[in-house]
Amino acid sequence: MTLEAKSKIIEESDFYYDMSYSLACSTFANMPADIGIATGSEATSDISSDDVDSSKEKPNDDLVSPPDAQMKTAALLDLYSGCGAMSTGLCLGAALSGIKLITRWAVDLNTHACSSLKHNHPFTQVRNEKAENFLSLIREWNTLCKKFDVHKSISLSSDLPRTSNENEEYGNEPLLKGTFEVERLVDICYGDPNSMGKVGLWFKVRWRTFDPSEDTWEPVGGLSDSPDCIKEFVQNGYRESILPLPGCVDVICGGPPCQGISGFNRFRESEAPLNDERNKQLVVFMDIVNYLRPKYVLMENVVDILKFADGFLGRYALSRLVAMSYQARLGMMVAGCYGLPQFRMRAFLWGALPSVVLPKYPLPTHDVVKRGLVPRAFMHCLVAYKENEYRHLEKALVLGDAISDLPKVGNHQPNDVMEYSIKPKTEFQHYIRLNRQDMKDYSHGDVTPKEGQLFDHQPLQLNRDDYERVQKIPIKKGANFRDLKGVRVGKNNTVEFVPDIPQVVLSSGKPLVPSYAMTFNKGKSLKPFGRLWWDETVATVVTRAEPHNQIILHPTQHRVLTIRENARLQGFPDYYRLLGPIKEKYIQVGNAVAVPVARALGYSLGLAYQGKFHGDQSLFKLPGNFIPIDHATETRVASLGASKGEVVETE
Ligand code: SAH
């Protein structure tokens, strides 16, 4: 319907709406077309088993993706990208649905995370800067593009970007000593790149007769003598899409950090969460969406966003989208439900322009061991089967499924590249070791980089004291610091030192059992120096690898899980290499959206993009062969009550 036609209809009506709101599912969506101008009674409906959209479009038929050449492409901007797990997964999933989603731009503050992203996605414009500066930059960029009328000049001229070598007429002419002449501009940013307290628009200048190592950042005002250089830079930049312009981005995804709501932080601004500087990124994220107006938005966050201050921040995000006339749909997904031995529950929020189809959430493919609490007010946003509903789920994965093929390594492992030594033992291992091409990862174009090597199989090296402690933790299921000499378990499952024996000490003279382990969680914790076991699932992979307050020791080796083992638990393909110091690599992996979750969401995005969803149900079933497993292992009808597949506990 055109806007004109719409306003005509509205004019004649006393009451008009064309979006439905489901309070229970936190969903704002276009009215289904067949309802037309509704009377209101259908507007709010609670979720029921009918919310699973399997009848109309039957997406659970097996996948048949079109040949690559026929695929539509779509441009993705990954904000707060980290090393790029979320966008990687989205692109993998979209490819299976028949859309070539390409990460054109990524933004992150962390230099190492940016290096990892660039390494794995060489064609992405990776911007290592604050998102708030990125927003100012794209505004400036739009102004520059308009000023130089790039749209027109590019289509009229067939100029190719000029490189320094083409600049022959000046090339060999000597410059007077002490003379600086701008050869060309090589980069642009907004902020304070020279850390001089001068915030604004800057260009990186390549000086004539100087090396790239002597490039400097110059304020735009200082380049008034070189307007042609600016024009040339903007024209080339426009042609190469170095920055997104309003209306040119198809999808924005991102996980704006909200450190002000962390469960560990006791001084939280619960009255006015947005006053906390550390929650401001939610506002910045939505401001960028508002400026660029992509067709689709996908935001990820910790579930605390729906718990803290009665879900204030989650409601804020949803209402910002609605205020911008987006359709919106909230969902909580458990990573383990998509084929990982890790629980990890996260909140997601879809946004879609009114002119496109709003994506649904993909139902679980795997069973999972129940953990964690779902905030009561958002209970119906949990992406799960109803208790008494028929479902077909693969068996829950366990640690051994994910890592049992990885070579044995010591506490100190300096090499970040090694050989696998043995073949994959499980379906999961077979899949995770696929190369880029077989996984349908287009980020390297036609080039297939060298693969078949194992990257980042390195543990955080424990110091001498901790290493000595870890060697004394027995190799058995459930072992932890409680098994160390001198500790016993007293009343109420609380640890205490065995009385009347001398304190056992390490070779350094430090106590074998550190006091923080004895007092952690008032002496009730099983976590310090805890060993994982082959048949277990991990609660949540976090950004730190120290064994002091989490269970992270390898089942049979005296070390913490390696970066690659953590990456496997997060579903990163083995070809995805991480860069930076070891601790930074753990941070990138721990921060990531589990790749299989993003992949399932990417598939949903692709279906919506092609208009293949119908009905107002929130959930849909993935195709039977979506998960890369040859055979279905289990078909079950859940019995009422506790089933491993459900995460229905509420606060
Ligand atoms: N979605 C990512 C993980 C994001 S974690 C993935 O799936 O891999 C959040 C990221 O936000 C971190 O990498 C952190 O460096 C980045 N960050 C924090 N504050 C930022 C800011 N102001 N601007 C840009 N990035 C920021």
Side-chain angles (χ1 to χ4, degrees):
M1 187 186 290
T2 64
L3 277 179
E4 269 166 31
K6 187 167 163 177
S7 51
K8 195 147 195 332
I9 290 176
I10 296 173
E11 206 175 276
E12 290 165 7
S13 310
D14 295 323
F15 178 60
Y16 172 90
Y17 67 90
D18 57 6
M19 276 235 199
S20 68
Y21 171 41
S22 159
L23 177 65
C25 305
S26 292
T27 298
F28 288 80
N30 287 345
M31 301 298 294
D34 47 348
I35 295 181
I37 300 169
T39 54
S41 56
E42 303 93 331
T44 53
S45 65
D46 201 354
I47 197 167
S48 73
S49 343
D50 304 338
D51 285 294
V52 178
D53 190 352
S54 55
S55 56
K56 282 189 188 156
E57 76 259 33
K58 294 220 184 312
N60 46 342
D61 290 345
D62 278 358
L63 278 177
V64 194
S65 6
D68 294 355
Q70 288 170 21
M71 279 163 74
K72 261 203 225 163
T73 62
L76 171 68
L77 163 62
D78 188 355
L79 293 173
Y80 313 93
S81 62
C83 66
M86 186 182 196
S87 49
T88 299
L90 284 176
C91 295
L92 291 176
L96 293 174
S97 79
I99 291 287
K100 208 176 218 176
L101 182 65
I102 296 171
T103 312
R104 291 246 184 262
W105 314 272
V107 182
D108 199 286
L109 191 55
N110 183 302
T111 312
H112 304 294
C114 287
S115 311
S116 297
L117 198 142
K118 187 75 189 173
H119 178 85
N120 291 285
H121 305 270
F123 300 119
T124 301
Q125 298 284 340
V126 181
R127 308 243 11 137
N128 181 199
E129 63 202 356
K130 285 186 185 165
E132 45 275 49
N133 286 340
F134 175 75
L135 174 57
S136 303
L137 177 63
I138 53 178
R139 286 192 171 125
E140 297 277 356
W141 182 247
N142 194 15
T143 310
L144 286 170
C145 287
K146 282 186 184 146
K147 179 175 167 190
F148 294 114
D149 223 353
V150 282
H151 193 61
K152 238 197 243 153
S153 60
I154 297 294
S155 51
L156 292 178
S157 90
S158 57
D159 280 359
L160 283 173
R162 216 163 44 161
T163 64
S164 56
N165 295 345
E166 287 171 89
N167 217 347
E168 287 300 332
E169 67 234 68
Y170 304 107
N172 304 316
E173 209 177 291
L175 274 179
L176 290 177
K177 216 169 174 226
T179 312
F180 291 94
E181 194 174 300
V182 177
E183 180 183 297
R184 63 192 171 109
L185 306 180
V186 292
D187 204 354
I188 186 171
C189 81
Y190 190 94
D192 182 18
N194 297 334
S195 307
M196 284 163 41
K198 276 172 72 179
V199 177
L201 186 65
W202 299 71
F203 285 95
K204 198 182 229 183
V205 175
R206 174 77 34 89
W207 300 100
R208 192 151 76 84
T209 75
F210 287 87
D211 273 13
S213 63
E214 317 244 26
D215 290 351
T216 57
W217 285 105
E218 302 296 329
V220 65
L223 293 166
S224 49
D225 291 349
S226 318
D228 288 349
C229 288
I230 298 184
K231 184 174 177 183
E232 186 185 4
F233 180 84
V234 175
Q235 285 181 339
N236 291 343
Y238 174 79
R239 190 169 15 220
E240 289 159 19
S241 272
I242 61 166
L243 286 164
L245 288 166
C248 300
V249 181
D250 297 304
V251 187
I252 291 184
C253 74
C258 294
Q259 287 138 343
I261 53 171
S262 158
F264 299 105
N265 179 358
R266 283 176 296 125
F267 309 104
R268 311 189 291 185
E269 278 265 12
S270 55
E271 290 298 310
L274 284 174
N275 288 352
D276 189 327
E277 213 22 62
R278 293 162 307 167
N279 294 334
K280 281 269 158 65
Q281 293 309 319
L282 202 54
V283 181
V284 175
F285 179 86
M286 289 300 170
D287 287 348
I288 296 176
V289 168
N290 190 31
Y291 187 67
L292 291 173
R293 294 281 169 160
K295 293 192 184 82
Y296 289 98
V297 180
L298 179 63
M299 193 188 91
E300 175 258 4
N301 228 293
V302 290
V303 172
D304 271 358
I305 197 177
L306 303 177
K307 291 184 184 167
F308 177 53
D310 192 25
F312 180 98
L313 294 169
R315 293 175 204 277
Y316 169 81
L318 189 70
S319 60
R320 277 294 302 268
L321 285 179
V322 173
M324 293 184 260
S325 291
Y326 275 84
Q327 306 176 70
R329 176 172 277 151
L330 197 64
M332 276 173 287
M333 294 173 79
V334 170
C337 291
Y338 301 87
L340 289 177
Q342 184 197 179
F343 185 76
R344 196 181 195 91
M345 182 156 53
R346 288 288 181 269
F348 291 89
L349 177 61
W350 280 120
L353 283 178
S355 51
V356 299
V357 174
L358 179 64
K360 300 174 189 286
Y361 285 102
L363 276 159
T365 53
H366 285 72
D367 221 341
V368 73
V369 177
K370 177 164 91 178
R371 287 178 208 237
L373 293 173
V374 176
R376 188 174 288 280
F378 296 96
M379 197 170 73
H380 292 292
C381 299
L382 183 72
V383 180
Y385 283 94
K386 301 272 119 195
E387 278 185 32
N388 54 357
E389 203 174 351
Y390 283 91
R391 86 277 313 268
H392 172 87
L393 294 172
E394 303 293 336
K395 267 208 282 232
L397 263 68
V398 294
L399 183 70
D401 294 327
I403 68 164
S404 64
D405 62 325
L406 293 174
K408 189 170 177 182
V409 291
N411 175 45
H412 178 52
Q413 176 13 23
N415 306 322
D416 63 351
V417 185
M418 63 172 78
E419 298 301 318
Y420 276 102
S421 76
I422 58 166
K423 291 210 151 54
K425 293 182 183 174
T426 64
E427 296 280 357
F428 177 93
Q429 294 164 11
H430 181 78
Y431 173 71
I432 215 85
R433 285 167 66 161
L434 288 181
N435 64 28
R436 278 194 163 79
Q437 210 171 9
D438 292 341
M439 249 189 217
K440 282 187 163 286
D441 183 331
Y442 300 109
S443 38
H444 277 246
D446 296 334
V447 190
T448 310
K450 188 164 162 33
E451 273 153 8
Q453 285 178 309
L454 175 60
F455 302 120
D456 307 315
H457 189 39
Q458 301 171 279
L460 174 77
Q461 188 183 358
L462 299 170
N463 63 30
R464 256 182 62 190
D465 290 342
D466 280 343
Y467 184 48
E468 227 176 297
R469 289 175 179 127
V470 165
Q471 285 172 296
K472 292 191 161 56
I473 303 288
I475 305 254
K476 63 171 194 191
K477 186 175 162 80
N480 58 44
F481 78 105
R482 294 178 171 212
D483 296 292
L484 294 174
K485 208 166 163 191
V487 183
R488 72 177 189 193
V489 181
K491 265 189 280 170
N492 295 327
N493 194 22
T494 306
V495 284
E496 58 192 26
F497 284 113
V498 180
D500 306 327
I501 64 157
Q503 190 186 48
V504 187
V505 291
L506 301 168
S507 48
S508 65
K510 298 248 180 68
L512 169 67
V513 185
S515 58
Y516 60 75
M518 298 299 284
T519 54
F520 191 54
N521 195 14
K522 300 198 174 105
K524 289 195 163 49
S525 180
L526 301 174
K527 289 181 179 171
F529 298 94
R531 255 189 214 291
L532 289 159
W533 203 247
W534 298 116
D535 62 355
E536 292 172 352
T537 59
V538 176
T540 298
V541 172
V542 296
T543 51
R544 291 163 60 89
E546 285 78 3
H548 304 152
N549 56 5
Q550 60 171 327
I551 305 177
I552 194 174
L553 298 184
H554 187 277
T556 52
Q557 297 168 34
H558 294 311
R559 58 169 179 82
V560 296
L561 291 187
T562 63
I563 299 154
R564 180 52 51 193
E565 285 162 342
N566 265 6
R568 287 259 181 110
L569 296 178
Q570 288 274 57
F572 278 89
D574 272 9
Y575 63 68
Y576 212 90
R577 193 173 179 178
L578 300 154
L579 302 184
I582 287 189
K583 282 195 180 185
E584 290 285 339
K585 295 185 186 184
Y586 275 105
I587 290 175
Q588 291 166 32
V589 170
N591 268 337
V593 173
V595 175
V597 173
R599 182 172 166 270
L601 288 165
Y603 183 76
S604 167
L605 174 69
L607 289 186
Y609 209 94
Q610 298 167 82
K612 289 189 183 166
F613 278 136
H614 305 283
D616 54 0
Q617 301 88 346
S618 307
L619 310 176
F620 78 105
K621 282 185 190 143
L622 289 160
N625 62 346
F626 183 80
I627 41 165
I629 290 184
D630 296 341
H631 52 90
T633 49
E634 226 177 341
T635 307
R636 86 174 61 217
V637 180
S639 55
L640 280 172
S643 150
K644 279 204 302 175
E646 265 117 39
V647 199
V648 289
E649 220 171 309
T650 56
E651 273 173 338

